[in-house]
Amino acid sequence: MFEATSLLIKPGNTVGELIEFTNTYAVGQGGKHGLVTRSMLKGGGYGEDGPRVSPMTRVDDLPEPLRELRFEPGAFVVWKPDVYADDMGGALSWGGAMRVAERGAEFVGHRPLRLIAIK
């Protein structure tokens, strides 16, 4: 989910396009049990000052100025789409700080994105 959707965080694309694609992509990946995503996108830079798309937000719920907001080259956002399926028994959130680039967002975290099994 994270890798496929991060490609849309590039100059010229809108927040609405990202959220709509994320939800459509999740439905297409869900198989017979269905897959749901809850997008979390923050921008602005200094904490909770927004703009912000909270989990469970759908495109139609976004205020038009936020839905039409275009990503600018070199801007930074926090992108954490999570996924949930009935057979998972919970949700998995994946993501972090991203730099808007021509080929899609670039992860700028210092730790590698990987799963670690904890027993």
Side-chain angles (χ1 to χ4, degrees):
M1 180 65 67
F2 176 74
E3 290 177 358
T5 57
S6 295
L7 296 175
L8 267 73
I9 303 175
K10 61 184 178 182
N13 285 351
T14 66
V15 169
E17 290 168 334
L18 172 65
I19 302 306
E20 187 170 335
F21 176 82
T22 301
N23 294 328
T24 301
Y25 184 81
V27 169
Q29 301 300 308
K32 68 178 185 175
H33 297 291
L35 183 66
V36 175
T37 184
R38 298 178 299 186
S39 304
M40 197 283 289
L41 175 72
K42 293 192 271 184
Y46 299 107
E48 299 296 327
D49 55 345
R52 180 185 175 119
V53 175
S54 297
M56 299 305 287
T57 301
R58 296 293 182 237
V59 173
D60 294 339
D61 299 331
L62 293 173
E64 187 174 348
L66 181 53
R67 184 173 51 240
E68 298 301 322
L69 183 65
R70 295 193 180 279
F71 294 104
E72 295 289 332
F76 289 86
V77 297
V78 174
W79 176 234
K80 292 182 180 179
D82 74 6
V83 293
Y84 173 85
D86 289 337
D87 60 346
M88 286 174 54
L92 173 65
S93 181
W94 193 274
M98 309 290 285
R99 181 181 167 278
V100 178
E102 292 296 328
R103 291 182 284 169
E106 300 168 342
F107 180 70
V108 296
H110 295 290
R111 289 184 244 164
L113 289 171
R114 64 179 182 210
L115 291 175
I116 300 171
I118 300 174
K119 297 181 181 184

